[in-house]
Amino acid sequence: MSEVLCAENITQRFGGLDALKNVTMHVNEGEIIGVIGPNGAGKTTLFNCITGMYCPTEGKVSMLGTDITGWKPYEITAHGFARTFQNIRLFPKMTVLDNVMVGMHVQTKLSAREWFLPGKAKIAMDTAIGRAEELLKLFGLYENRFEMATSLPYGDQRKVEIVRALAIQPKLLLLDEPAAGMNGAETEELGKLVHDLRNMGNTILLIEHDMRFVMNICDRLYVLNDGALIADGTPEEIRTNPIVIEAYLGKDE
Amino acid sequence: MIEKLSTWLVRYKRTLLIITALLAVLFPWIFSSKYVLRIAILCLMYCMLCVSLNLMAGVLGQISFGHAAFWGIGAYTAAILSKNYGWNGIAALLMAAVIAGLFGLLLSLPVMHLKGYYFTIVTMVFCQIIRVIEINWMSLTNGPLGIMAIPKLSFFGVTLKSQRAYFYVILFLLAAATFIVRKIIHSRMGYAILAIRDDELAAGAMGIHVFKYKVYAIVISSMLAGAAGCFYSLYTSYIDPSCFTNAISNNILVMVIFGGLGNIFGSFFGATVLTILPEVLRGFSEYRQLVYGALLVVLMLVRPDGLFGSVNFKYIEQRLAWKKEKAGGDGHE
Ligand SMILES: Nc1ncnc2c1ncn2[C@@H]1O[C@H](COP(=O)(O)OP(=O)(O)OP(=O)(O)O)[C@@H](O)[C@H]1O
Ligand SMILES: [Mg+2]
């Protein structure tokens, strides 16, 4: 099994604040990994470091053995990491289908030779539209594909973001709180979908607050608190880990 | 109302296109007055300028108050090349586009990291600078006197003199420019540029090289404006720096915004209405500016996005087709 993602000793400093302190983690191919932790623990910051939105102050990020530290977000995406955003960032003036089509950008790239073959570009785009429609069917959004993306209910918008990220055909899919704002039934359905995605060969790293969701679907978990990694292991191990319990209970008090 | 009109336009798209094309081709035979033809030619040229500016301002979302600069650069390039060096029309046209494109590149590189208003201000200053150069580089541009007696367009030894001929030339150029911009919008590059307009950060997260596509859009937009400039100087045979001022830039932008940012049909509409209106209002002389201004204010109050700014013909078409398909599918069951 190869390591799709490996982050070593990541530290991210914002002025005087250490949002991440010496965090080391990795994701193997085919795994579903969860990142949990209280609000402000640094989970989104970790995603931003992995996907190039921030360049970590210290540490190294690698994708399948390639050092990608300091790469630009678009380079990292083109190389194989795709993400969703905690505060949904769909393209507001586009339909659902076109949002997904933007995600096809990397896949529809033509090689220098294909550029000069007439009709190639059209074939690539048509294939992409077909693929986008298949993905939307999988998520039950096919009927809505010509609606404006931001006019959909919140939960569906999150799904569109996931589809858009899947369109990139990433080696690793990073989901930032995919179930946020969903009701119980929707969350359960999403859990099934994430499972299906793994069975289809995807590797997934996700941030989530919903404990039941995380415990049910993740193979391993990383627990962040105050920017530091305080525990990692299987859901079972995490559930009974006294340090984790304290971190969560401590916050609740 | 605009929504209804748009749906209607889409529904009868093919018929309307054929009629428009026919009317356009027959126009110079229906109206033979020199004055009318001159207005029509300028109108088509403004349509071309608006379509090109729309790529930058509407599709990419970088509002520019300096589009006349590219137009002027194209005009001067063509004038100098054809007058001093005897270049033929087609070569001058290509070179005008290339030089204008180079200036577009020059403008876009340093300002690419500036957001929103900063870019807009830079374009304004850019237009001023180009004008100052046109006025002061005597040896090249003949300064404020302008360049006179620019040779008329000629193809294979035949010199075009009639208004009718120029009408067809600009009609062809406009069709070509529209074709190019449309092709771009509906291609992979178009998706990328539109994504950048909507959300730069999310576009980057989709693997889009934001910087590169911004430069592409700006360069192509300025190239098309340069081509329009070439036409202008060969058509009028006389250009001077006062043709390419900030005021003209503003006018072009107003036309694009009037028609609706991002909508090609809107650009046609805006350019046509705002070119013809001042002519129609000529009789009212002193009230002309007033009516013109009042119309714009009302429009911006009622439809801040411009007439067709919130209309996407592609989406209307897709929804209509989908509705039809669903209805058809139900019928068979
Ligand atoms: N760009 C930034 N500049 C300064 N501080 C930041 C920046 N981004 C994040 N932080 C800080 O880093 C800390 C971690 O933020 P982060 O968004 O990663 O938390 P999180 O674990 O995702 O929380 P939540 O569950 O609320 O989403 C917070 O204290 C936040 O204020
Ligand atoms: Mg977060």
Side-chain angles (χ1 to χ4, degrees):
Chain A
M1 241 197 284
S2 50
E3 269 184 8
V4 177
L5 163 70
C6 180
E8 291 165 83
N9 309 103
I10 302 290
T11 297
Q12 177 68 54
R13 220 163 274 140
F14 294 115
L17 175 85
D18 284 7
L20 288 176
K21 299 166 196 154
N22 210 20
V23 173
T24 297
M25 48 104 54
H26 68 97
V27 179
N28 295 322
E29 207 178 310
E31 279 185 314
I32 301 180
I33 304 296
V35 177
I36 60 172
N39 286 110
K43 306 179 295 290
T44 300
T45 306
L46 178 65
F47 267 32
N48 285 338
C49 287
I50 294 171
T51 55
M53 303 276 162
Y54 300 150
C55 177
T57 321
E58 281 162 40
K60 178 179 154 191
V61 183
S62 36
M63 178 193 315
L64 288 165
T66 315
D67 185 352
I68 57 165
T69 325
W71 285 23
K72 297 264 164 44
Y74 77 89
E75 293 170 319
I76 293 179
T77 305
H79 219 74
F81 287 173
R83 70 172 295 175
T84 65
F85 295 90
Q86 181 174 354
N87 48 336
I88 304 174
R89 298 189 80 130
L90 291 169
F91 302 112
K93 288 191 185 158
M94 293 190 198
T95 56
V96 171
L97 179 63
D98 274 7
N99 263 277
V100 180
M101 283 303 290
V102 174
M104 295 285 174
H105 185 80
V106 176
Q107 291 305 316
T108 47
K109 188 174 168 66
L110 297 180
S111 67
R113 188 151 41 84
E114 285 170 324
W115 245 96
F116 294 99
L117 294 176
K120 265 283 176 213
K122 176 136 179 38
I123 294 172
M125 289 312 273
D126 288 347
T127 318
I129 290 177
R131 269 197 54 227
E133 289 182 342
E134 285 309 311
L135 284 172
L136 286 169
K137 273 181 194 155
L138 184 69
F139 278 73
L141 290 166
Y142 180 72
E143 297 278 322
N144 310 90
R145 69 194 187 286
F146 295 135
E147 286 168 38
M148 299 314 278
T150 44
S151 72
L152 295 183
Y154 205 66
D156 286 346
Q157 291 194 29
R158 289 220 174 270
K159 286 195 208 160
V160 176
E161 262 215 354
I162 299 176
V163 175
R164 188 177 71 176
L166 279 170
I168 298 165
Q169 288 192 330
K171 301 188 177 86
L172 176 68
L173 181 63
L174 297 102
L175 307 176
D176 197 341
E177 304 203 11
M182 290 189 177
N183 61 32
E186 284 176 321
T187 307
E188 196 163 315
E189 192 201 328
L190 181 73
K192 283 202 194 89
L193 274 170
V194 172
H195 238 281
D196 291 346
L197 289 180
R198 189 251 295 275
N199 290 342
M200 288 149 76
N202 290 290
T203 310
I204 297 163
L205 177 65
L206 59 88
I207 296 173
E208 193 44 72
H209 277 297
D210 188 323
M211 277 307 147
R212 236 168 61 97
F213 182 87
V214 175
M215 294 290 170
N216 277 337
I217 69 168
C218 293
D219 301 315
R220 285 188 297 122
L221 295 176
Y222 287 95
V223 187
L224 282 175
N225 187 26
D226 244 343
L229 195 63
I230 55 169
D232 70 277
T234 62
E236 278 315 307
E237 291 165 355
I238 297 297
R239 207 197 307 265
T240 51
N241 187 321
I243 304 172
V244 177
I245 295 170
E246 198 195 298
Y248 268 88
L249 292 183
K251 281 272 162 175
D252 282 348
E253 270 171 5
Chain B
M1 197 181 89
I2 294 289
E3 277 66 29
K4 271 216 183 100
L5 173 68
S6 308
T7 314
W8 184 83
L9 285 173
V10 168
R11 190 162 279 152
Y12 300 102
K13 184 171 131 191
R14 189 163 304 156
T15 324
L16 288 170
L17 269 176
I18 294 172
I19 295 175
T20 314
L22 267 178
L23 277 180
V25 171
L26 294 178
F27 188 89
W29 305 94
I30 304 171
F31 299 95
S32 49
S33 129
K34 268 216 160 102
Y35 169 71
V36 171
L37 274 180
R38 191 180 159 77
I39 301 295
I41 289 170
L42 290 181
C43 180
L44 292 178
M45 190 191 63
Y46 274 111
C47 282
M48 183 171 171
L49 283 171
C50 285
V51 167
S52 78
L53 176 59
N54 207 347
L55 181 61
M56 190 189 307
V59 182
L60 177 65
Q62 296 280 10
I63 300 290
S64 160
F65 277 97
H67 212 55
F70 299 115
W71 185 38
I73 291 165
Y76 268 96
T77 307
I80 293 163
L81 287 178
S82 55
K83 184 171 178 187
N84 301 357
Y85 301 95
W87 284 40
N88 72 34
I90 294 171
L93 182 83
L94 292 178
M95 205 56 188
V98 168
I99 300 285
L102 280 178
F103 275 89
L105 185 70
L106 204 73
L107 173 75
S108 64
L109 290 180
V111 298
M112 212 36 85
H113 298 291
L114 304 178
K115 292 249 158 66
Y117 298 121
Y118 295 102
F119 178 85
T120 306
I121 290 167
V122 170
T123 58
M124 218 183 264
V125 175
F126 173 72
C127 191
Q128 279 292 357
I129 293 174
I130 294 297
R131 178 139 182 262
V132 168
I133 293 174
E134 286 163 2
I135 293 176
N136 291 302
W137 192 350
M138 290 297 292
S139 58
L140 188 73
T141 65
N142 201 24
L145 295 176
I147 302 179
M148 273 167 273
I150 302 163
K152 285 272 177 190
L153 254 178
S154 67
F155 290 105
F156 311 109
V158 185
T159 306
L160 302 187
K161 288 210 181 75
S162 69
Q163 295 277 355
R164 217 170 256 164
Y166 281 93
F167 180 90
Y168 286 121
V169 171
I170 188 64
L171 189 63
F172 173 78
L173 287 177
L174 172 62
T178 309
F179 177 80
I180 292 171
V181 172
R182 250 190 72 90
K183 260 272 184 270
I184 290 172
I185 292 179
H186 294 292
S187 73
R188 175 172 179 266
M189 193 200 288
Y191 279 110
I193 297 172
L194 287 166
I196 293 169
R197 173 193 70 184
D198 276 8
D199 186 337
E200 241 176 71
L201 193 123
M206 295 298 112
I208 293 167
H209 193 328
V210 173
F211 181 89
K212 189 171 87 179
Y213 283 99
K214 274 187 174 179
V215 172
Y216 282 172
I218 292 177
V219 167
I220 295 169
S221 168
S222 41
M223 284 178 83
L224 293 174
C230 167
F231 172 83
Y232 183 71
S233 69
L234 298 189
Y235 168 59
T236 57
S237 298
Y238 168 72
I239 53 169
D240 70 66
S242 71
C243 304
F244 313 108
T245 56
N246 278 81
I248 303 287
S249 295
N250 296 353
N251 277 351
I252 305 171
L253 184 65
V254 166
M255 289 172 182
V256 173
I257 294 177
F258 180 91
L261 286 171
N263 190 310
I264 300 183
F265 177 77
S267 286
F268 274 75
F269 193 84
T272 309
V273 170
L274 296 187
T275 313
I276 294 176
L277 195 68
E279 298 301 328
V280 175
L281 294 178
R282 227 171 241 288
F284 300 90
S285 54
E286 64 262 46
Y287 299 113
R288 192 166 137 200
Q289 289 296 328
L290 194 70
V291 175
Y292 187 87
L295 183 91
L296 286 179
V297 170
V298 169
L299 180 87
M300 285 302 118
L301 286 175
V302 182
R303 285 188 78 86
D305 287 334
L307 276 177
F308 294 94
S310 49
V311 173
N312 188 320
F313 289 111
K314 178 178 130 190
Y315 293 164
I316 295 178
E317 198 169 350
Q318 285 177 333
R319 283 175 199 139
L320 280 180
W322 171 232
K323 232 188 192 163
K324 214 164 146 191
E325 194 186 315
K326 266 208 300 206
D330 291 345
H332 286 300
E333 275 170 80

